[in-house]
Amino acid sequence: MRERVLPIVLAAVLLAASSGVASAANKEHLQMLAEIRMLQEQTALLRSQLTALDQTLRALGAKLDQQSTAVQRAFADQKLSIDNMADNVRIVREKIDDNNVRVGSLSQELDAIRAAMAQQAAQAAQAGPAGAPPPSGDAA
């Protein structure tokens, strides 16, 4: 009987040990599956966040392009305005130079007129008092 019981006990022990190992392996397998599911969920969440970030970056890039274009236009308009003002200043400067030349000419003409008037006044004073007839040869 002992010989019959021994294989049965051994079989029972092996069965119990194998079910414990199988149970432990099954728990590890279930744990790994749960961790894989969590990783898949995290990957899906990261993927959706990356998609949202990509869309945000594209929108930001478009806005930056619009602002860049607006700034370029503003600088071009400003350059045009500055060029126009520089041309206007040049024209005003030329007109001022022309006026200065004319004023100089008028000043010289006035000086010439004053000199001529002074010379006429000196000649009139030498000719005699005003209103007196010039001396004639009949009075002697």
Side-chain angles (χ1 to χ4, degrees):
M1 175 127 166
R2 214 173 184 205
E3 288 180 9
R4 274 181 128 185
V5 174
L6 187 60
I8 293 176
V9 171
L10 265 175
V13 169
L14 283 176
L15 186 62
S18 68
S19 70
V21 171
S23 173
N26 193 21
K27 286 182 183 178
E28 286 180 20
H29 182 68
L30 290 175
Q31 182 66 29
M32 287 174 60
L33 287 176
E35 288 176 0
I36 287 173
R37 265 189 246 118
M38 288 190 312
L39 287 174
Q40 286 173 341
E41 289 174 5
Q42 289 176 351
T43 303
L45 180 63
L46 284 174
R47 190 172 287 140
S48 67
Q49 288 176 347
L50 281 175
T51 302
L53 183 60
D54 183 51
Q55 290 173 351
T56 303
L57 286 175
R58 287 179 193 223
L60 182 62
K63 284 183 181 181
L64 286 175
D65 288 342
Q66 290 173 350
Q67 286 180 351
S68 175
T69 302
V71 166
Q72 286 176 348
R73 285 183 185 155
F75 277 130
D77 292 344
Q78 188 177 23
K79 183 186 180 310
L80 183 62
S81 296
I82 289 171
D83 289 345
N84 287 339
M85 285 192 293
D87 288 341
N88 290 339
V89 167
R90 181 187 50 80
I91 290 169
V92 168
R93 186 175 291 152
E94 289 174 0
K95 287 182 179 182
I96 288 173
D97 289 343
D98 186 43
N99 284 338
N100 286 339
V101 169
R102 288 182 183 180
V103 168
S105 296
L106 287 175
S107 175
Q108 289 175 355
E109 288 178 18
L110 280 175
D111 288 342
I113 291 173
R114 284 183 190 148
M117 287 179 61
Q119 189 178 21
Q120 283 180 352
Q123 286 176 356
Q126 284 179 356
S136 63
D138 293 343

